[in-house]
Amino acid sequence: MSALKKTNLNSVVQLRTTVDENLATSLAALGYTQSFSLIDTKLVLGYSTVLIAVGLYFADKKFGFNAIFNQTVAAIVIYSILNVALWYLTSTAAYKDVKYIGHDNKGNQIKVATWTTGYEPLYHVKISTTTGTKKKVNTLESTFEFTKLFDGIGYYKEEQLTKLFETELEKIGKKSI
């Protein structure tokens, strides 16, 4: 369906977004199923902080600040802890720019982080695979030109991304031997 949507070839952000949105489709073609645990965790943490803020607002309106001072301090501490956890999941090296986490039917895990730098039409990809019972982690960083993933008019070529990932996963497999 996304192949029917035309992308602005002059916008690096739109190019990256289009490819990021189609990662799951390409990796599904290679036998991976997406795991939403990281996304769900971020959502729960984010919504929890909003609920704390809303609860404090209404409690302050109903009871007054002095009456709920101790509860406010406790809520601020919990709010801070949740925000630190959310920051950790979005900013630290282990999770920064992670757009896809999935697994195959053998229990191997794949984590894909993607980014662009400035206005360069380059798609940077870091693929990490975790294989075996000993949880051996293999990592490979690559860079693709967006011209390989889009035609001259701006239509996304899904099969090209699938082939690129297949090639990169083969490199990781050879590297782990």
Side-chain angles (χ1 to χ4, degrees):
M1 287 186 226
S2 61
L4 301 176
K5 184 180 174 189
K6 191 173 166 183
T7 303
N8 181 358
L9 294 176
N10 297 313
S11 172
V12 173
V13 173
Q14 276 191 359
L15 293 169
R16 184 190 69 229
T17 302
T18 300
V19 177
D20 286 348
E21 289 173 351
N22 290 286
L23 282 174
T25 306
S26 290
L27 290 167
L30 297 174
Y32 289 94
T33 304
Q34 188 169 8
S35 169
F36 294 97
S37 59
L38 179 63
I39 295 168
D40 291 344
T41 303
K42 289 179 187 179
L43 285 171
V44 166
L45 291 171
Y47 284 133
S48 296
T49 60
V50 170
L51 289 174
I52 289 170
V54 168
L56 281 178
Y57 171 78
F58 285 115
D60 186 47
K61 282 291 208 184
K62 184 172 183 173
F63 302 110
F65 178 75
N66 290 333
I68 61 161
F69 178 77
N70 292 333
Q71 291 83 354
T72 301
V73 171
I76 289 171
V77 169
I78 294 169
Y79 180 89
S80 299
I81 291 169
L82 293 175
N83 272 312
V84 166
L86 187 58
W87 169 81
Y88 177 77
L89 292 177
T90 56
S91 301
T92 58
Y95 297 106
K96 185 174 184 178
D97 298 322
V98 171
K99 304 294 191 293
Y100 181 91
I101 295 177
H103 58 276
D104 63 9
N105 56 2
K106 297 175 188 170
N108 301 323
Q109 184 185 36
I110 186 170
K111 182 167 60 171
V112 179
T114 66
W115 67 94
T116 54
T117 54
Y119 299 106
E120 289 183 307
L122 299 173
Y123 189 64
H124 301 277
V125 178
K126 180 179 178 182
I127 304 170
S128 299
T129 59
T130 306
T131 57
T133 56
K134 296 183 180 182
K135 301 294 181 192
K136 183 177 180 186
V137 178
N138 299 306
T139 303
L140 179 69
E141 286 192 37
S142 298
T143 303
F144 308 121
E145 293 179 9
F146 282 114
T147 55
K148 292 181 180 180
L149 304 174
F150 292 88
D151 65 13
I153 302 171
Y155 290 103
Y156 171 70
K157 299 186 285 186
E158 182 178 311
E159 66 281 348
Q160 288 301 111
L161 183 64
T162 305
K163 287 178 187 176
L164 288 171
F165 269 104
E166 187 173 30
T167 303
E168 296 305 306
L169 289 170
E170 286 174 6
K171 288 179 189 176
I172 289 175
K174 289 177 184 174
K175 188 172 126 177
S176 67
I177 294 176

